[in-house]
Structure formats: structure tokens, C-alpha cells
Amino acid sequence: AGWFRRLLHKPKPSSVESLKSSHSASSSPSSLSSSSAKSSSSSPGTSLATSSISLSPVSATDISASDSPRWDKSYDVCICHSEGDMELVEELVSYLEGQPESFRCFLQLRDAVAGSAVVTELCDAVQSSHCWVMLITPGFLQDPWCRYQMHQALAEAPMANGRTIPVLKDVDRKDYPRELRNIYYIYMALKEKSFRQIRDTVMRYLQELCQSSTKRME
């Protein structure tokens, strides 16, 4: 498909300054909301609860301003996934990069440096991204590299704070990784709704990051 070819040939962000100028003109509503599926951290058998996510009143223009802390990292989102889920991940990346905020996504197939060690690339992807989406599927649970990257993300931000975003698909709650049980997850039943939830969660984190930076400066 044409969108897939465009996705694979999309160049890596090579200049923060060029990204700043291209993003500064984007705009979006000043406040956004979504629902996110949650699980109990105390028991894998507890039913999901739904809660509303209210985003901070900071516009996309503020997030994309030239002095925004968003530009301190090369990517907004790193998608951790198994090879068998590549088609779904490509759709998610295309959705996020097509938003008004033009989220910068790390897609291993496209953005990993040829010849680099896998361990190095996985660690760099985590350290160079603000948020990490863990697409937890049966393939993810069986892939040692996925678990390695998950542990790297947890080591980078053990208290979560919105940076680690687990997304369950075709996995029972009882199989939810124990390492993530203190973090609420998104359950992917309807793909379009889950994509919006992921987008809103990333947006909320960037807004809070921007607000925290502004408060420190004051």
C-alpha cells in the first residue's frame, strides 16, 4: 500500500530545529479528553474500570514551541512490539504521525541504524523517547527482546508518570506482566478507540512536561 511505502521511507528526525519550525504552526483544541481502560494493580482477576483522562489546558502550539522541553528528546513515542504485530504497529505509527501534533515515533524497522547492536538500539530508543507504548500481545510475551525493552523503560522511569503505556491485545488479564501491575493499561477492543487513548495519553504527558518546565522557570 502507498501509505506503507511512505511510512518506511519517512526520514528519521535529523534536525531538532527543522522539527521545531514545522511543528510550531500546528494547533489543536486547548483541552482534550478520552477514556482509558484500567486494571487493578492488586489482583489480575479484578474487572476493568473506566476513567476519564482530562488533559491539561496547554495548546499544541505551546508543546511545539521552540523552547518546549519536548525537543529535549529525539522522539515522542517509542513503540515496543513483537515482529508478528508489525502491521498493527504500522497503523498506529501512521495514525500518530498524522495527528496535528505530528508525533515523532520510533519504529524499529524504519529508524534503527543498520549495523548497530540490537541491545544498543533498544536502549537508545528508550532513552531518546518521552513515552513508551508496550503493545502486549501473545507475541510480545514470548519475545525476550520485548521484555528486555520493557525492563529498560521501567528502569528509566520506575514510577511511570504516564511515560509507560501498556496496551493489551488478545491477552488475558492474568497474563499481564507482573512488572507492569502497578500501571493501568489500555485494553484494545476497538482499534480506533485505543489509538485515540494512546494519542491522548502521550499528549497529556507532553502537556504536563511543558507545564512543569514553565513552573520551574517561574
Side-chain angles (χ1 to χ4, degrees), residues 36-58:
S36 70
K38 291 188 175 184
S39 70
S40 169
S41 61
S42 60
S43 171
T46 302
S47 61
L48 295 176
T50 301
S51 116
S52 175
I53 297 178
S54 298
L55 300 184
S56 305
V58 179

Side-chain angles (χ1 to χ4, degrees), residues 21 23 34 36-37 44 58 67 77 118 124 142 148 153 156 170 218:
S21 61
H23 284 69
S34 73
S36 70
V58 179
D67 58 348
V77 190
V118 175
D124 287 348
Q142 297 173 8
Y148 177 84
E156 186 81 8
D170 302 327
E218 292 175 351

Side-chain angles (χ1 to χ4, degrees), residues 2-217:
W3 70 266
F4 177 52
R5 288 195 294 270
R6 290 195 299 273
L7 181 64
L8 291 182
H9 289 86
K10 183 178 182 299
K12 289 181 65 174
S14 57
S15 170
V16 172
E17 291 301 323
S18 64
L19 280 169
K20 289 177 183 175
S21 61
S22 65
H23 284 69
S24 60
S26 66
S27 63
S28 74
S30 60
S31 65
L32 300 159
S33 65
S34 73
S35 296
S36 70
K38 291 188 175 184
S39 70
S40 169
S41 61
S42 60
S43 171
T46 302
S47 61
L48 295 176
T50 301
S51 116
S52 175
I53 297 178
S54 298
L55 300 184
S56 305
V58 179
S59 69
T61 302
D62 294 322
I63 291 172
S64 299
S66 60
D67 58 348
S68 170
R70 177 185 181 185
W71 308 115
D72 293 344
K73 292 184 180 292
S74 300
Y75 299 96
D76 299 312
V77 190
C78 172
I79 316 292
C80 180
H81 63 93
S82 69
E83 290 185 10
D85 299 313
M86 193 66 213
E87 183 176 350
L88 177 61
V89 172
E90 288 160 357
E91 290 185 57
L92 173 59
V93 169
S94 180
Y95 172 83
L96 293 174
E97 292 182 343
Q99 293 301 300
E101 299 79 20
S102 299
F103 293 111
R104 302 163 299 156
C105 299
F106 179 88
L107 181 63
Q108 188 172 354
L109 178 64
R110 179 189 68 196
D111 299 320
V113 178
S116 295
V118 175
V119 172
T120 301
E121 283 296 306
L122 294 181
C123 291
D124 287 348
V126 169
Q127 294 173 357
S128 301
S129 303
H130 285 292
C131 298
W132 314 293
V133 172
M134 304 288 164
L135 183 58
I136 302 172
T137 64
F140 180 101
L141 296 176
Q142 297 173 8
D143 190 332
W145 289 117
C146 288
R147 299 194 74 91
Y148 177 84
Q149 196 168 30
M150 177 183 71
H151 291 146
Q152 290 299 311
L154 291 173
E156 186 81 8
M159 300 305 292
N161 298 326
R163 298 187 68 182
T164 301
I165 309 170
V167 180
L168 266 65
K169 185 178 186 300
D170 302 327
V171 171
D172 291 335
R173 291 195 298 274
K174 65 181 178 61
D175 296 321
Y176 185 51
R178 291 185 178 276
E179 300 93 327
L180 300 175
R181 297 242 170 139
N182 66 324
I183 303 175
Y184 288 126
Y185 60 78
I186 295 170
Y187 189 82
M188 186 176 287
L190 297 176
K191 182 171 59 178
E192 292 78 9
K193 179 180 179 181
S194 298
F195 282 9
R196 288 196 301 271
Q197 289 176 312
I198 294 168
R199 180 261 180 196
D200 289 349
T201 305
V202 173
M203 184 71 169
R204 181 180 64 170
Y205 175 78
L206 293 175
Q207 287 178 331
E208 291 176 350
L209 180 69
C210 185
Q211 280 190 324
S212 297
S213 176
T214 301
K215 289 179 181 178
R216 286 196 299 270
M217 292 177 64

